[in-house]
Amino acid sequence: MTIVTRKVSLTVNGKAVSADVEDRTLLVHLLRDNLGLTGTHVGCDTSQCGACTVHIDGRAVKSCTVLVGQADGSNVTTIEGLAGHNELHPMQAAFRDNHGLQCGYCTPGMIMAAVDMVRRHGGKLDEATVRQELEGNICRCTGYHNIVKSVLDAAGRMEMASAAE
Amino acid sequence: MKADGIGARLARKEDKRFITGKGRYVDDVRVHGMTYAHFVRSPHAHARVKGIDISEAMGRPGVLAVLTGRELVDDKIGNLICGWMVHSKDGSPMKMGAWPAMAPETVRFVGQAVAVVIGETRNQARDGAEAVIVDYEVLPAAADIKAAIAPGAPQLHPEAAGNAVFNWSIGDDKAVDAAMSKAAHKVTFELENNRLIPNAMEPRAALAEYNEAEEHFTLHTTSQNPHVARLVLSAFYNIAQEHKLRVIAPDVGGGFGSKIFIYPEEMVALWASKKVGRPVKWTSDRTEAFLTDAHGRDHLTKATMAFDANHKILALRVDTHANFGAYMSLFSSSVPTYLYATLLSGQYNIPNIYAEVTGVYTNTAPIDAYRGAGRPEASYLLERLIETAARTFKVDPAELRRKNFITSFPHQTPVIMAYDIGDFNASLDAALKEIDYAGFPARKEKAKKEGKLRGIGFSCYIEACGIAPSKAVGSLGAGVGLWESAEVRVNPVGTIEVLTGSHSHGQGHETTFAQVVADRLGIPANQIQIVHGDTDKVQFGMGTYGSRSGAVGISAIVKAMEKVEAKAKKIAAHQLEASESDIVIENGTFKVTGTDRLMPLASVALAAYTGHNLPDGMEPGLKEGAFYDPTNFTFPSGTYVCEVDVDAATGKTSFVDFVAVDDFGRLINPMIVEGQVHGGLVQGIGQALLERAVYDNSGQLVTASYMDYAMPRAEDVPSFKLQHTTTLCPGNPLGIKGCGEAGAIGAPAAVINAITDAIGNNSLEMPATPDRVWHAIQSGRA
Amino acid sequence: MYETIYHRPSSIDEAAALFAKNEDGKYLAGGHTLIPVMKSRLAAPSNVIDIGRIPALIGIEAAGGTLMIKAATTYYDIMSSTQVKQSIPAIARLTSMLGDPQVRARGTIGGSIANNDPAADFPAAVLALGATIRTNKRDIAADDFFKGIFTTALQDGELITAVLFPLAAKAGYSKFRHPASRFALTGVFVAQSKGGDVRAVATGASQSGVMRVGEIEKALKANWSAAALDSVKISPDGLLEDIHGTAEYRANLVKVMAQRAVESAE
């Protein structure tokens, strides 16, 4: 059996990586299957649930809707690379402190989307905006109540941190 | 309250792995030599399988095997079972049609597996599956209840004439008739309880490995109850003997009931791993999940409630048709019977109740327990009936409820359940206050001036949880007992492992269970590790569903802890040369009361394991197990009230306020309990406003992806105001009632009662989509 | 997804040449229309030609009474563009309501138009504003571009390079989201051109895709106000009907969304 593959090279969580994969490979499968970064999840087939959200070149995107070729040469951040070793990003900490997760499956995507949300909106976030901006992420456990709370809490923390800089 | 003890809002111990991407779900597990399974599924709702040509598929790159239902039969793999026997009112047993894991002869719903392709890669397995050619003879299909019970309807199973699974009844028919004949008022209502698809965010998955030398299987699977999975796989399906099968349910991404059941895919993965001699992984995609996960609800009901001249309820008669789908799933028979009709008394004193339930086969996916399981259907029916009665009588809906509340306990209902305790007025009062019920007319008037239709809706629910006393459920037909087990292992250094038969898939057991132990011993929760989800580690357990893990699972831990503490006290007394009855446990030490003489837990544990100085005749070690069998169900209850605005131009509903007041008995971690309520409420709101599984007349699932099945998003729902009123459950050591399903049970009626109040038209079914609400407004105007 | 070969040309000409050379090719920019259908195996191009990073296809220019948005410009860049907000704010508004944040980070205006999805938002703006679709071969007027559901005037291999919007006197967009997919159950774009011409275009509602709504245009031409539409009746004939909305409901939404679009117009 032959599988036609090509080499793709990208930066993932600050490290240069490359892999030989089929052109039909999606970024999420490269991350999970080839790089062992299983924190990025697949929850739907239709680019809607957002469990696969990662950052490509600083923007939150759905890695289930990106071919590896499109990501070739890009800088990708996954949930595993959001904070340094044994550190938590303020968004991660806020999700824990506010019980913003239950089963944990949608959580990495939620956190990656939320970090991007705060990047785009800064401290101007309010509940209505957060709810609108979570359009691309589905959670079945939390009823969103504590996710919204977590994002608002983290936005405050991130604002204070950047003001302190 | 201790910092890590009962009642503390302790951040969850399990969270760090989830927020850093280190959770370990089934699809994250990779083993050497792993292959991938892809199922060939029926595109028809009802068809005869005339032949399967695998030759082309076998020639595809990377295809290792193509296995069919015929080979399952040849290998004597058993059919799927339903583990709860229900009898019709004529005494005849339910009619269980044969459900093979892959259909050798007949397919009865779209998505039913007929073959499986094992490939080297995920894509190759799927490519191979597309090359399998199945010759179908398409048969007429019955895609819903009405079609299946119509004269001349296509018959699904030879065993079940008229597609009837059973015709079951509860209560006293004649007494209800007599009461109805004396009634001053009767309210009759027909409604549908819409079919839902659970949609845990992690799709189901299985990874099966066979060790030929040991003749041993290991199965990683997305299960809420791995021990029950092992029992069923070994006892009924002839795949492996129980001691030669290890089932691991690692991190599981939500279940809501759908991961209780044993499905064809994990059976086939196990069987195939032996056949191909390689580990086999199957991971559902979302479309497969829509097609094959057990669905929930789907009732058609007609009910009449009778009142006397003072608006006191005299009787209730209910006639329900419950859809079972094409086959009877593992616990399906209990859902529209013992989990539904036994709750038809609600919070009310109803002297006479009679209910008849007809189970119906249709050419759709099997239906089984989904969050609430029977109880949401009962609660929705009752709460719409009583609301309708209040509107008919032109009386305050809160007061009509109050007038009929059960106020003394224990209370025996006419439908089996004996409520042990509750205070329904307390939760209603708290809810009315929180939402400022007195101010509602003014708010409605103000909204009207702003062009909005404002409405308010109540729902006073009760549920039976803490499932369940084994003897009671045994007498009702359950094939298993519903106790729970626990084992507490104190290590020689004083750290503790608690092994539990409960399974956490989002509920936070690693935290709450540890809090219970921390509270008893006065040690930090991080000194305690909760172990679950692995049949090699935990001896046996019944798993997590039916809001049972607090009331039953924790009670088992308490029982095991009592044994551990008793032994530890003996050791401490011996070493401290004190009387055992003088030893108290404080801040992680065993202390001689009234003195400063003490031994830290670690010293007691070490003494237990060194065995150098133990009381005469005592065995070394500090490890105890317990099985806890509840004495009764528990009865969480509460009042939900919501206020909505309806946009008359578009029919869109938005929430102004949502108050949920629950009585769950003792709360171990209020933060986690609130999270459970939030999640349940949104599933309930999802049922009320958005979600509906729809099959077309030919049995094709129209809502087979998130493009058509409307999942609640953050913007669809409000933040909630939660309160607790507390009566402690007298039936278990900590007074816990359970909190996992309440939201999904209570929310739908509150939402629909609010919308129908707003639009002034009571004829509205769930989900109350903008389209339906707009039409209801139009017809109300006509 | 079936096997496919991925190409990433660096210029428009190279992209066109790759398309001509390879059988059964498809252009791919953000990929948010094509990749989902490839994943579900409903589309199986042997070659995908990624135009998403071609510099000549990215950017926004406003000059001489025209707003030009190049084809591979992402929704996010459109909605946050000062030029767009200043010249045709309704386009920024429409884009900010399109998909979700992650989709907006990848999806492009060219992709939104090239497929003529009956529930896509941009076709409504393009048609209502009387835009011009520029390709690597020619300029096509919006009126000639949309040829019914999933069909456009694009020839095989023809590549949209930009969309040119004439600045309007007033324009507004309002949409009612599909409860599940969150596409437009019905969206209406209204525009009053600088010459006084009025157009109202609905998306998501019609069986034949994006459509002009004559009754609304007539009423708004006589009186540009939401109230002017109160007495307008929209016929449900030819409108979509499914579990999320009857044709009658969609007809109502066409009117209500038009009214709200007028209210939001600036």
Side-chain angles (χ1 to χ4, degrees):
Chain A
M1 46 152 271
T2 53
I3 300 177
V4 183
T5 62
R6 82 168 64 208
K7 185 173 178 174
V8 291
S9 302
L10 54 165
T11 303
V12 177
N13 298 334
K15 283 188 204 134
V17 296
S18 59
D20 288 306
V21 288
E22 288 184 286
D23 278 4
R24 60 171 157 171
T25 307
L26 296 164
L27 176 60
V28 65
H29 290 130
L30 174 83
L31 294 170
R32 290 179 55 78
D33 299 344
N34 298 79
L35 305 178
L37 296 169
T38 54
T40 302
H41 298 146
V42 178
C44 75
D45 319 328
T46 47
S47 313
Q48 288 172 290
C49 82
C52 65
T53 301
V54 301
H55 296 172
I56 298 183
D57 299 328
R59 285 186 184 186
V61 305
K62 293 178 174 176
S63 63
C64 74
T65 314
V66 177
L67 291 169
V68 282
Q70 291 177 284
D72 198 1
S74 299
N75 196 335
V76 174
T77 305
T78 70
I79 187 72
E80 291 92 343
L82 193 58
H85 182 62
N86 251 337
E87 289 172 5
L88 292 180
H89 185 280
M91 189 63 72
Q92 291 171 313
F95 268 68
R96 182 190 59 191
D97 296 346
N98 293 285
H99 190 30
L101 63 149
Q102 289 181 25
C103 82
Y105 197 78
C106 77
T107 309
M110 283 284 176
I111 289 174
M112 298 308 282
V115 168
D116 185 66
M117 189 194 307
V118 177
R119 177 185 66 81
R120 285 181 286 108
H121 289 270
K124 284 183 291 183
L125 280 169
D126 54 29
E127 177 176 343
T129 309
V130 172
R131 286 185 180 276
Q132 271 169 25
E133 287 275 334
L134 288 175
E135 178 77 34
N137 293 78
I138 299 177
C139 170
R140 190 57 151 170
C141 293
T142 64
Y144 303 102
H145 181 112
N146 284 341
I147 290 177
V148 173
K149 216 169 133 189
S150 303
V151 177
L152 289 170
D153 181 13
R157 296 186 200 195
M158 288 162 74
E159 179 92 339
M160 272 167 55
S162 68
E165 268 168 21
Chain B
M1 186 173 68
K2 296 163 190 165
D4 288 5
I6 290 171
R9 303 176 70 89
L10 190 64
R12 298 201 316 174
K13 283 153 56 81
E14 49 268 77
D15 281 357
K16 189 166 179 195
R17 67 176 187 271
F18 295 127
I19 58 180
T20 56
K22 303 288 166 47
R24 191 164 178 265
Y25 302 88
V26 173
D27 191 57
D28 300 340
V29 181
R30 275 154 183 71
V31 294
H32 183 68
M34 192 167 80
T35 66
Y36 295 84
H38 194 94
F39 285 86
V40 178
R41 299 187 181 280
S42 171
H44 306 294
H46 199 188
R48 193 157 291 128
V49 179
K50 290 164 68 184
I52 301 177
D53 181 355
I54 67 166
S55 54
E56 195 189 334
M58 284 301 292
R60 288 289 170 100
V63 170
L64 298 167
V66 182
L67 304 170
T68 67
R70 187 61 59 194
E71 286 156 277
L72 274 176
V73 175
D74 292 345
D75 284 359
K76 300 189 169 49
I77 302 300
N79 291 330
L80 282 87
I81 59 152
C82 176
W84 193 306
M85 173 53 72
V86 166
H87 288 84
S88 287
K89 61 181 182 180
D90 67 6
S92 63
M94 66 192 191
K95 310 292 187 293
M96 188 158 43
W99 183 9
M102 296 192 291
E105 284 171 4
T106 308
V107 288
R108 295 182 178 85
F109 66 97
V110 171
Q112 187 174 1
V114 293
V116 66
V117 176
I118 311 298
E120 292 282 356
T121 70
R122 204 190 310 265
N123 273 323
Q124 287 176 332
R126 184 163 177 182
D127 293 346
E130 286 190 4
V132 174
I133 299 160
V134 185
D135 184 9
Y136 292 103
E137 179 193 338
V138 178
L139 302 171
D144 60 28
I145 291 171
K146 283 180 183 161
I149 61 174
Q155 296 294 294
L156 270 80
H157 297 284
E159 300 87 348
N163 295 318
V165 181
F166 53 66
N167 177 236
W168 174 90
S169 70
I170 191 169
D172 188 336
D173 193 7
K174 290 204 175 77
V176 167
D177 270 347
M180 290 269 177
S181 70
K182 284 183 276 179
H185 310 279
K186 280 188 233 172
V187 177
T188 294
F189 211 79
E190 278 185 65
L191 55 73
E192 175 189 338
N193 201 286
N194 44 322
R195 181 179 185 122
L196 304 176
I197 303 179
N199 274 299
M201 290 316 296
E202 179 207 21
R204 289 189 293 118
L207 169 60
E209 299 165 76
Y210 180 63
N211 181 327
E212 198 176 348
E214 301 289 335
E215 297 179 352
H216 184 278
F217 291 90
T218 302
L219 174 69
H220 282 81
T221 185
T222 48
S223 176
Q224 300 178 216
N225 46 348
H227 292 86
V228 176
R230 183 172 77 150
L231 170 66
V232 172
L233 286 163
S234 59
F236 298 98
Y237 300 160
N238 195 32
I239 286 176
Q241 290 178 284
E242 210 165 0
H243 66 304
K244 294 288 188 184
L245 171 60
R246 176 184 184 186
V247 178
I248 302 169
D251 286 329
V252 172
F256 317 112
S258 69
K259 291 173 181 170
I260 298 171
F261 324 117
I262 320 304
Y263 287 91
E265 290 85 1
E266 51 260 32
M267 291 172 63
V268 170
L270 280 168
W271 171 71
S273 72
K274 186 174 176 183
K275 288 212 98 75
V276 301
R278 301 259 302 270
V280 173
K281 179 188 273 186
W282 170 76
T283 305
S284 173
D285 62 30
R286 184 55 61 186
T287 305
E288 284 181 293
F290 273 106
L291 292 172
T292 67
D293 288 2
H295 295 184
R297 321 279 193 260
D298 204 347
H299 285 191
L300 292 178
T301 294
K302 185 175 179 185
T304 302
M305 190 177 262
F307 293 82
D308 70 13
N310 294 319
H311 301 156
K312 294 275 258 186
I313 305 169
L314 292 174
L316 173 67
R317 174 183 291 282
V318 174
D319 186 1
T320 292
H321 282 78
N323 195 343
F324 273 73
Y327 300 98
M328 296 190 75
S329 173
L330 192 63
F331 290 116
S332 57
S333 53
S334 64
V335 177
T337 51
Y338 295 108
L339 294 176
Y340 164 68
T342 56
L343 273 306
L344 283 172
S345 196
Q347 297 191 354
Y348 310 111
N349 204 332
I350 308 182
N352 304 287
I353 300 177
Y354 178 73
E356 238 179 79
V357 180
T358 305
V360 181
Y361 283 119
T362 60
N363 291 108
T364 63
I367 291 182
D368 207 323
Y370 165 60
R371 200 172 198 166
R375 290 151 291 171
E377 295 91 318
S379 190
Y380 178 67
L381 172 66
L382 274 176
E383 290 306 293
R384 283 209 71 180
L385 267 173
I386 197 134
E387 191 79 23
T388 303
R391 288 174 194 172
T392 310
F393 305 156
K394 297 192 165 46
V395 299
D396 185 309
E399 292 314 308
L400 182 63
R401 285 175 169 86
R402 193 189 297 281
K403 178 178 265 180
N404 285 285
F405 276 162
I406 294 160
T407 51
S408 75
F409 298 90
H411 174 88
Q412 177 63 54
T413 72
V415 280
I416 298 179
M417 292 299 172
Y419 301 164
D420 50 6
I421 199 164
D423 186 345
F424 306 144
N425 276 308
S427 53
L428 177 62
D429 289 342
L432 293 179
K433 189 164 174 230
E434 180 68 51
I435 202 138
D436 181 20
Y437 188 49
F440 176 74
R443 293 197 297 278
K444 187 177 172 92
E445 198 51 40
K446 183 162 177 283
K448 194 176 170 187
K449 283 185 187 136
E450 292 160 5
K452 294 175 203 151
L453 303 174
R454 176 75 53 101
I456 196 163
F458 293 89
S459 172
C460 297
Y461 78 90
I462 189 163
E463 51 171 332
C465 295
I467 294 173
S470 298
K471 196 172 169 183
V473 295
S475 74
L476 301 177
V480 290
L482 289 170
W483 43 264
E484 195 48 86
S485 78
E487 185 179 320
V488 175
R489 302 199 301 221
V490 183
N491 297 317
V493 293
T495 59
I496 295 174
E497 280 125 31
V498 178
L499 289 75
T500 170
S502 298
H503 184 275
S504 185
H505 32 280
Q507 295 87 344
H509 295 170
E510 289 171 44
T511 306
T512 48
F513 288 13
Q515 282 180 258
V516 170
V517 176
D519 191 87
R520 295 183 72 92
L521 296 177
I523 58 175
N526 64 15
Q527 215 169 305
I528 302 145
Q529 188 77 17
I530 305 299
V531 178
H532 69 97
D534 183 341
T535 59
D536 261 15
K537 294 179 179 167
V538 178
Q539 186 232 334
F540 208 96
M542 298 312 299
T544 288
Y545 41 84
S547 308
R548 69 190 303 273
S549 299
V552 191
I554 286 180
S555 297
I557 294 171
V558 168
K559 225 178 136 187
M561 280 299 296
E562 285 168 354
K563 295 185 194 175
V564 164
E565 290 160 15
K567 184 170 180 182
K569 281 182 179 175
K570 281 197 176 83
I571 296 171
H574 178 74
Q575 298 236 344
L576 295 167
E577 296 175 343
S579 159
E580 197 187 315
S581 59
D582 287 340
I583 303 290
V584 291
I585 304 172
E586 271 178 28
N587 300 320
T589 67
F590 288 75
K591 198 173 160 190
V592 183
T593 188
T595 74
D596 55 2
R597 285 187 298 142
L598 56 81
M599 273 182 86
L601 171 65
S603 305
V604 177
L606 190 64
Y609 286 95
T610 59
H612 296 163
N613 184 16
L614 294 177
D616 285 346
M618 179 183 275
E619 288 177 17
L622 193 52
K623 179 191 92 167
E624 298 289 345
F627 288 77
Y628 174 79
D629 199 352
T631 53
N632 190 1
F633 292 86
T634 64
F635 298 95
S637 64
T639 295
Y640 294 169
V641 52
C642 72
E643 198 168 315
V644 301
D645 272 337
V646 175
D647 175 0
T650 63
K652 189 173 168 63
T653 299
S654 51
F655 289 95
V656 179
D657 215 350
F658 203 119
V659 171
V661 182
D662 295 290
D663 179 355
F664 295 139
R666 172 110 47 216
L667 311 184
I668 305 300
N669 182 327
M671 179 186 80
I672 288 177
V673 169
E674 288 160 13
Q676 290 294 307
V677 177
H678 296 150
L681 286 171
V682 168
Q683 287 181 13
I685 292 172
Q687 170 162 33
L689 293 183
L690 295 158
E691 299 179 43
R692 174 167 55 139
V694 178
Y695 284 89
D696 70 13
N697 291 337
S698 70
Q700 293 294 329
L701 182 60
V702 176
T703 52
S705 81
Y706 294 144
M707 296 298 284
D708 291 295
Y709 188 88
M711 287 284 278
R713 311 293 217 284
E715 209 184 350
D716 297 320
V717 295
S719 285
F720 301 99
K721 293 177 183 163
L722 306 190
Q723 282 192 29
H724 302 286
T725 55
T726 301
T727 57
L728 293 180
C729 174
N732 59 58
L734 293 178
I736 297 170
K737 295 185 182 177
C739 65
E741 296 160 292
I745 292 168
V751 175
I752 298 297
N753 286 337
I755 297 173
T756 52
D757 179 47
I759 65 174
N761 182 347
N762 201 33
S763 247
L764 186 68
E765 294 275 22
M766 296 193 294
T769 61
D771 171 59
R772 283 177 166 179
V773 173
W774 180 80
H775 279 286
I777 294 169
Q778 303 310 308
S779 63
R781 277 177 184 160
Chain C
M1 185 179 302
Y2 293 106
E3 284 186 72
T4 190
I5 301 168
Y6 171 84
H7 307 268
R8 194 199 284 177
S10 52
S11 71
I12 296 170
D13 288 348
E14 194 192 333
L18 277 167
F19 195 100
K21 199 175 81 181
N22 289 290
E23 258 182 56
D24 192 20
K26 279 266 187 205
Y27 292 121
L28 171 87
H32 277 55
T33 302
L34 184 59
I35 292 174
V37 288
M38 287 174 73
K39 280 164 67 178
S40 62
R41 299 195 166 205
L42 296 171
S46 311
N47 292 273
V48 291
I49 300 157
D50 182 0
I51 56 166
R53 297 203 195 188
I54 296 174
L57 291 178
I58 300 168
I60 295 164
E61 290 168 20
T66 301
L67 172 70
M68 177 168 76
I69 304 177
K70 293 180 184 172
T73 310
T74 63
Y75 300 136
Y76 180 71
D77 288 342
I78 295 168
M79 66 183 262
S80 31
S81 154
T82 313
Q83 282 165 309
V84 174
K85 285 183 203 163
Q86 283 173 353
S87 45
I88 311 179
I91 289 185
R93 180 176 153 84
L94 172 148
T95 318
S96 72
M97 292 191 284
L98 197 163
D100 59 51
Q102 295 97 310
V103 168
R104 292 194 288 267
R106 298 289 295 179
T108 66
I109 184 170
S112 169
I113 291 165
N115 198 42
N116 197 13
D117 187 306
D121 299 271
F122 256 112
V126 168
L127 191 55
L129 289 164
T132 300
I133 291 96
R134 180 162 292 167
T135 76
N136 58 338
K137 293 184 178 160
R138 57 186 167 142
D139 281 359
I140 308 171
D143 291 346
D144 303 325
F145 185 80
F146 300 106
K147 300 285 186 192
I149 203 158
F150 295 115
T151 315
T152 67
L154 288 173
Q155 292 159 359
D156 204 33
E158 190 172 10
L159 177 64
I160 299 175
T161 59
V163 183
L164 288 76
F165 295 96
L167 302 195
K170 273 178 183 166
Y173 183 64
S174 183
K175 92 165 154 182
F176 196 84
R177 283 172 183 265
H178 184 290
S181 73
R182 308 286 162 145
F183 280 82
L185 191 66
T186 292
V188 176
F189 200 103
V190 295
Q192 189 181 50
S193 74
K194 297 219 160 169
D197 187 25
V198 169
R199 286 190 176 197
V201 179
T203 186
S206 167
Q207 291 169 12
S208 47
V210 65
M211 67 160 189
R212 291 180 60 177
V213 191
E215 302 90 319
I216 290 175
E217 292 183 355
K218 203 172 132 196
L220 288 180
K221 192 154 170 88
N223 173 10
W224 177 270
S225 73
L229 303 180
D230 280 344
S231 55
V232 169
K233 274 261 180 244
I234 307 293
S235 164
D237 294 346
L239 297 192
L240 287 164
E241 177 146 319
D242 56 28
I243 59 168
H244 300 288
T246 59
E248 200 187 353
Y249 179 63
R250 280 185 167 89
N252 170 65
L253 282 184
V254 168
K255 175 172 136 177
V256 175
M257 290 302 112
Q259 288 179 308
R260 290 179 187 180
V262 169
E263 281 163 0
S264 79
E266 47 186 323

